[in-house]
Amino acid sequence: MNLDRRIREELSDREPELDPAEFDDRGLFGMLFRVFTGGLRRWAAFGMLLTLVAVALTVWCAIGFFTAPDVDGRVFWGVLALAAFHAVSMFKLWFFMEMNRNSVLREVKRVERAVERGSVPDPD
């Protein structure tokens, strides 16, 4: 039997024994809200605030772009809209990286608990 398959079976057999509050984030929103519970929760809240500001700035600049009377105004507002949109993208990327970090940490903890129980055989 493959070692990976044995680990998956062991984790699925023992899953009810694990702390459900620690591992109850299987959906996208659960994973997103978990970012706000860790040690970086203040940074996550600050990042979410900056994301909302960047979204508002993007919309404002896009409106300015479409209502600009001349080409110079459109270039100005267009560059600002692209820069603000890029900021939104970077904040989103940071949140997804935090969600991934939390997910990987959760899986590592599950494997650690399985190893502590001695239920995972040696790969030899």
Side-chain angles (χ1 to χ4, degrees):
M1 183 181 279
N2 189 359
L3 178 62
D4 290 335
R5 186 179 307 139
R6 292 179 78 175
I7 291 174
R8 280 191 203 105
E9 288 174 1
E10 177 64 30
L11 290 176
S12 65
D13 291 343
R14 307 272 181 154
E15 191 168 355
E17 296 176 13
L18 301 176
D19 186 14
E22 185 177 340
F23 302 118
D24 190 30
D25 59 353
R26 295 181 189 226
L28 180 64
F29 290 111
M31 291 174 67
L32 179 63
F33 291 134
R34 186 169 165 85
V35 172
F36 294 98
T37 61
L40 296 175
R41 65 181 172 268
R42 290 185 180 159
W43 282 108
F46 182 63
M48 183 59 75
L49 178 69
L50 289 178
T51 302
L52 293 175
V53 168
V55 167
L57 184 64
T58 302
V59 170
W60 182 53
C61 291
I63 290 171
F65 173 78
F66 288 112
T67 59
D70 57 349
V71 175
D72 290 340
R74 287 186 185 199
V75 169
F76 174 75
W77 288 110
V79 169
L80 286 180
L82 287 175
F85 183 73
H86 183 67
V88 171
S89 300
M90 292 300 105
F91 284 122
K92 183 179 176 181
L93 181 63
W94 182 79
F95 274 101
F96 275 109
M97 286 174 28
E98 281 297 308
M99 289 166 44
N100 183 45
R101 184 182 66 86
N102 287 335
S103 178
V104 168
L105 184 64
R106 182 191 72 213
E107 294 300 323
V108 167
K109 285 182 181 181
R110 288 175 68 184
V111 171
E112 282 178 353
R113 289 184 181 178
V115 169
E116 285 176 0
R117 280 189 238 107
S119 58
V120 178
D122 289 331
D124 296 333

